[in-house]
């Protein structure tokens, strides 16, 4: 993991969360939301609107940036147990969980984020299948439930269509079977430090 620098005194005094620009190859991009300059933040830093802490993100070498991607998901612990701020580019969300009476429900639980990832990808795939058939703005839903067992992890899903779309179910199901997140989760997984 890259070494994080301590926030400069001026930025800390301002009480504004400042995020240093990450260098990605030859290109510099702002980490976080579209930013406005705030008094007390050095010129190479930008505030992320909606937060009140200072934080620096280290320089990311070009070798760690996937082709076509300029950022990865980052999770940052918040002061309240067990809340975590999740950032992906300009998008920010909060995750939370309740364990042994501590924590809460300020956001989705980590396993719900896995379910949400698959459900949203399948829903997008279903909408794309319908768009290929010339059907735009159709109501489509996918429900996903994650079952954790001793020797396997099972994702159960349900495609919900309005009655007039049922005739297209086979084409839609074929499309969601090839959805990118499902394809990713169907391969053997490895976990390694960056």
């Amino acid at each position: 993991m890259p070494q994080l620098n301590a926030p400069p005194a001026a930025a800390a005094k301002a009480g504004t969360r400042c995020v240093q620009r990450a260098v990605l190859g030859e290109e510099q991009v702002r980490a976080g939301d579209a930013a406005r300059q705030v008094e007390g933040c050095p010129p190479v830093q930008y505030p992320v609107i909606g937060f009140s802490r200072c934080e620096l993100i280290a320089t990311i070498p070009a070798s760690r940036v996937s082709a076509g991607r300029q950022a990865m998901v980052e999770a940052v612990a918040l002061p309240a147990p067990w809340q975590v701020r999740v950032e992906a580019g300009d998008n920010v969300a909060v995750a939370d969980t309740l364990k042994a009476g501590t924590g809460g429900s300020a956001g989705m639980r980590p396993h719900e984020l896995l379910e949400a990832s698959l459900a949203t990808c399948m829903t997008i795939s279903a909408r794309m299948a319908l768009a290929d058939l010339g059907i735009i703005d159709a109501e489509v839903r996918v429900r996903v439930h994650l079952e954790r067992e001793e020797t396997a992890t099972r994702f159960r899903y349900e495609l919900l269509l309005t009655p007039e779309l049922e005739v297209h179910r086979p084409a839609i199901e074929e499309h969601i079977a090839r959805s990118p997140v499902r394809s990713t989760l169907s391969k053997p997984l490895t976990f390694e430090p960056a």
Side-chain angles (χ1 to χ4, degrees), residues 98-121:
L98 181 64
K99 295 286 184 189
T102 303
S105 59
M108 286 191 275
R109 295 178 302 128
H111 283 97
E112 289 172 335
L113 291 169
L114 276 173
E115 293 167 333
S117 176
L118 182 58
T120 54
C121 188

Side-chain angles (χ1 to χ4, degrees), residues 20-31 44 46 59 70:
Q20 188 174 27
R21 285 189 296 186
V23 179
L24 305 173
E26 297 294 319
E27 185 180 358
Q28 288 189 336
V29 295
R30 286 190 296 266
V44 297
Y46 297 84
T59 298
Q70 296 182 340

Side-chain angles (χ1 to χ4, degrees), residues 99-158:
K99 295 286 184 189
T102 303
S105 59
M108 286 191 275
R109 295 178 302 128
H111 283 97
E112 289 172 335
L113 291 169
L114 276 173
E115 293 167 333
S117 176
L118 182 58
T120 54
C121 188
M122 287 180 154
T123 302
I124 291 168
S125 294
R127 290 187 65 199
M128 289 177 172
L130 287 167
D132 289 346
L133 297 169
I135 303 168
I136 310 297
D137 295 332
E139 182 179 331
V140 179
R141 292 188 217 178
V142 176
R143 292 179 182 158
V144 172
H145 176 69
L146 174 63
E147 295 177 359
R148 295 179 287 163
E149 300 170 0
E150 190 68 32
T151 59
T153 300
R154 180 175 287 110
F155 288 92
R156 293 196 181 275
Y157 66 92
E158 181 181 7

Side-chain angles (χ1 to χ4, degrees), residues 3-194:
Q3 186 68 28
L4 296 181
N5 302 317
K13 189 174 84 177
T16 302
R17 179 178 181 268
C18 301
V19 181
Q20 188 174 27
R21 285 189 296 186
V23 179
L24 305 173
E26 297 294 319
E27 185 180 358
Q28 288 189 336
V29 295
R30 286 190 296 266
D33 202 353
R36 54 184 166 74
Q37 189 66 38
V38 165
E39 187 178 345
C41 288
V44 297
Q45 297 182 351
Y46 297 84
V48 175
I49 298 161
F51 296 99
S52 60
R53 311 185 332 177
C54 286
E55 176 182 353
L56 294 178
I57 293 179
T59 298
I60 302 170
S63 61
R64 295 201 33 216
V65 181
S66 302
R69 292 190 62 186
Q70 296 182 340
M72 60 180 65
V73 172
E74 181 178 28
V76 180
L78 296 176
W82 303 117
Q83 292 180 15
V84 173
R85 183 180 70 248
V86 182
E87 297 179 358
D90 292 342
N91 299 297
V92 179
V94 173
D96 199 358
T97 194
L98 181 64
K99 295 286 184 189
T102 303
S105 59
M108 286 191 275
R109 295 178 302 128
H111 283 97
E112 289 172 335
L113 291 169
L114 276 173
E115 293 167 333
S117 176
L118 182 58
T120 54
C121 188
M122 287 180 154
T123 302
I124 291 168
S125 294
R127 290 187 65 199
M128 289 177 172
L130 287 167
D132 289 346
L133 297 169
I135 303 168
I136 310 297
D137 295 332
E139 182 179 331
V140 179
R141 292 188 217 178
V142 176
R143 292 179 182 158
V144 172
H145 176 69
L146 174 63
E147 295 177 359
R148 295 179 287 163
E149 300 170 0
E150 190 68 32
T151 59
T153 300
R154 180 175 287 110
F155 288 92
R156 293 196 181 275
Y157 66 92
E158 181 181 7
L159 172 63
L160 303 168
L161 301 171
T162 56
E164 62 272 15
L165 295 178
E166 281 296 333
V167 68
H168 303 296
R169 180 175 285 276
I172 297 168
E173 285 183 345
E174 182 181 324
H175 213 79
I176 67 173
R178 297 188 317 267
S179 64
V181 171
R182 178 175 171 170
S183 297
T184 299
L185 292 172
S186 297
K187 297 174 186 172
L189 302 173
T190 59
F191 301 88
E192 54 191 48

